């Protein structure tokens, strides 16, 4: 597979993944976080804000192989 095609597929997959991931994180936050303390909410957003890096990093690694 050509590098340009891999980068196109990887870019589109990244955009779609991030949109779906953000929507899922927001839905879970609405269901899980009401009534919790500010510290719990902060931890939730810190963890979910960093977790997306793992699959996107693997996708970028694939794109550059």
């Amino acid at each position: 597979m050509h590098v340009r095609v891999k980068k196109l597929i990887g870019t589109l997959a990244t955009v779609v993944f991030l949109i779906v991931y953000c929507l899922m994180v927001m839905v879970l936050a609405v269901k899980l976080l009401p009534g919790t303390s500010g510290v719990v909410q902060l931890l939730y957003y810190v963890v979910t804000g960093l977790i997306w890096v793992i699959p996107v990093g693997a996708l970028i690694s694939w794109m550059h192989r």
Side-chain angles (χ1 to χ4, degrees):
M1 187 178 303
H2 295 290
V3 174
R4 283 184 160 200
V5 174
K6 277 179 127 177
K7 286 186 178 183
L8 175 64
I9 292 169
T11 301
L12 293 175
T14 299
V15 170
V16 170
F17 170 77
L18 286 176
I19 290 170
V20 171
Y21 180 77
C22 290
L23 290 172
M24 286 182 4
V25 166
M26 287 187 289
V27 167
L28 279 175
V30 167
K31 290 185 179 208
L32 298 176
L33 295 180
T36 60
S37 70
V39 173
V40 171
Q41 293 178 14
L42 176 67
L43 286 174
Y44 174 81
Y45 285 112
V46 167
V47 170
T48 56
L50 293 174
I51 257 178
W52 66 270
V53 172
I54 297 167
V56 171
L59 190 58
I60 290 172
S61 173
W62 172 80
M63 285 169 35
H64 289 287
R65 268 189 260 144

